């Protein structure tokens, strides 16, 4: 293995620069070869900047010459995000990258949210990632669509949410996996429902709730738990009307709220035009 073979003659020079919106506009005006702009990615990055979640990494901006005169080869999404956010960020600028390198830029595999959580040692990572993501969507945009570019969440936020409440997320995944065996719903939908209701009502002992859903023993007509187990097509892909994740969570919360409040309900459903129901809050007395 060669430890120090000397730098190649065409090696780019990295500089750490605080790039402002004004500087971004200048650099973008010097774009000569670049990819088609993905405005969804721009919105995603701008949102990260506005939230204060932007992190300095090795990924930056590439120019074919000096910062003052070089043409932009890579970084148009980051620069447009800086402009949209209106906030300067620190970023590495690589000067003197050969234009022949352009075809191989950003061709590596993007790190997924599941990859981000792999270091936690948790089981069932796809369900865990999906649960955390949808809990964050519930908390931040309950009445908006949970699909498309507007619903993307940075991996850093996923990991931060896990670290803040790892035990509860672990419990929610376990409960979601168990409940979904008895209810026509996805593991994620039931895990998210369990998480947000348990968080809102920590004083409620949910043992009988879970037992009713999983065993169905001695449940009378009108019991919200029975109604939840009878909701059709929450996870059947071939069904004509399959409930999306947001709808599954809403139906779970409707059933839970009725059970906590002692109400009778025989049929559950949710329309896309409805607002997301909020879980009943039952706190401990101080």
């Amino acid at each position: 293995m060669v430890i120090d073979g000397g730098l190649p003659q065409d090696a780019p020079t990295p500089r750490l620069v605080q790039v402002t919106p004004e500087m971004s506009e200048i650099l973008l005006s010097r774009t000569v070869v670049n990819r088609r702009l993905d405005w969804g990615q721009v919105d995603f990055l701008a949102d990260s900047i506005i939230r204060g979640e932007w992190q300095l990494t090795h990924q930056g901006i590439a120019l074919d010459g000096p910062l003052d005169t070089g043409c932009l080869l890579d970084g148009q999404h980051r620069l447009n995000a800086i402009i949209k956010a209106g906030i300067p960020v620190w970023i590495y600028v690589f000067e003197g990258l050969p234009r022949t390198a352009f075809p191989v830029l950003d061709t590596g595999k993007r790190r997924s949210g599941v990859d981000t959580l792999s270091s936690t040692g948790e089981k069932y990572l796809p369900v865990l990632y999906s649960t955390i993501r949808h809990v964050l969507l519930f908390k931040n945009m309950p009445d908006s669509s949970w699909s498309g570019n507007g619903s993307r969440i940075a991996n850093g936020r996923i990991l931060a949410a896990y670290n803040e409440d790892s035990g509860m997320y672990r419990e929610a995944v376990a409960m979601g996996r168990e409940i979904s065996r008895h209810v026509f719903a996805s593991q994620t939908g039931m895990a998210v429902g369990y998480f947000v209701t348990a968080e809102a009502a920590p004083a409620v002992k949910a043992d009988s709730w879970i037992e009713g859903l999983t065993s169905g023993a001695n449940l009378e007509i009108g019991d919200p738990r029975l109604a939840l187990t009878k909701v059709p097509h929450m996870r059947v892909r071939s069904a004509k009307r399959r409930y999306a994740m947001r709808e599954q969570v809403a139906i779970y919360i409707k059933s839970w709220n009725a059970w906590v409040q002692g109400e009778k309900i025989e049929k559950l459903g949710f329309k896309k035009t409805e607002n997301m129901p909020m879980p009943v809050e039952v706190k401990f007395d101080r």
Side-chain angles (χ1 to χ4, degrees):
M1 182 174 66
V2 178
I3 302 299
D4 185 9
L7 289 174
Q9 293 182 350
D10 58 353
T13 303
R15 288 177 57 184
L16 185 57
V17 179
Q18 188 177 43
V19 178
T20 65
E22 294 76 19
M23 187 185 302
S24 297
E25 291 181 352
I26 294 173
L27 292 173
L28 285 169
S29 71
R30 295 194 235 126
T31 303
V32 289
V33 283
N34 225 323
R35 299 179 176 88
R36 184 174 60 183
L37 199 63
D38 180 350
W39 283 107
Q41 176 69 1
V42 171
D43 292 341
F44 177 69
L45 294 174
D47 184 60
S48 296
I49 295 172
I50 293 170
R51 289 177 180 272
E53 297 168 353
W54 176 273
Q55 295 189 33
L56 176 66
T57 71
H58 65 287
Q59 295 177 311
I61 297 168
L63 306 172
D64 67 356
L67 180 62
D68 294 339
T69 60
C71 293
L72 182 67
L73 296 180
D74 189 34
Q76 64 170 348
H77 289 89
R78 299 179 183 89
L79 294 174
N80 275 285
I82 293 171
I83 294 172
K84 181 167 185 178
I87 300 171
V89 299
W90 287 96
I91 193 167
Y92 278 105
V93 177
F94 291 84
E95 301 173 294
L97 186 73
R99 291 195 183 186
T100 54
F102 175 75
V104 299
L105 296 177
D106 290 337
T107 56
K109 182 177 181 293
R110 180 176 293 179
R111 185 182 299 273
S112 69
V114 173
D115 293 334
T116 302
L117 292 172
S118 61
S119 62
T120 65
E122 294 283 0
K123 300 179 181 179
Y124 317 117
L125 290 179
V127 181
L128 176 62
Y129 166 77
S130 185
T131 298
I132 297 173
R133 175 176 176 269
H134 285 94
V135 166
L136 292 176
L137 289 173
F138 172 85
K139 292 183 175 182
N140 292 282
M141 44 188 295
D143 299 325
S144 301
S145 173
W146 289 2
S147 61
N149 286 325
S151 66
R152 293 179 62 187
I153 296 178
N155 291 342
R157 288 183 66 195
I158 298 291
L159 185 58
Y162 167 82
N163 289 332
E164 184 177 337
D165 211 349
S166 59
M168 186 59 192
Y169 278 114
R170 190 179 306 118
E171 180 180 336
V173 168
M175 291 297 100
R177 284 170 51 80
E178 177 62 24
I179 294 171
S180 70
R181 294 172 55 195
H182 307 275
V183 178
F184 291 108
S186 67
Q187 295 179 10
T188 295
M190 298 300 93
V192 174
Y194 180 88
F195 185 101
V196 299
T197 53
E199 185 178 57
V204 175
K205 294 183 178 180
D207 293 350
S208 59
W209 165 258
I210 299 298
E211 183 180 355
L213 290 176
T214 55
S215 72
N218 302 319
L219 298 185
E220 299 178 354
I221 294 177
D223 190 308
R225 295 168 295 178
L226 181 61
L228 181 58
T229 63
K230 298 300 183 182
V231 177
H233 309 320
M234 280 211 278
R235 67 177 177 186
V236 181
R237 293 187 179 275
S238 60
K240 293 182 179 179
R241 175 68 173 92
R242 179 176 180 267
Y243 287 109
M245 193 66 67
R246 177 174 171 270
E247 296 169 292
Q248 292 184 39
V249 174
I251 290 171
Y252 183 104
I253 294 172
K254 282 186 175 184
S255 178
W256 164 268
N257 285 350
W259 180 75
V260 171
Q261 295 171 327
E263 299 174 356
K264 298 292 185 180
I265 186 170
E266 294 186 16
K267 188 175 182 180
L268 285 165
F270 186 79
K271 298 178 180 179
K272 293 181 179 181
T273 54
E274 288 185 63
N275 288 333
M276 173 67 70
M278 292 295 108
V280 173
E281 294 190 5
V282 184
K283 306 296 185 181
F284 290 103
D285 294 330
R286 293 186 177 181

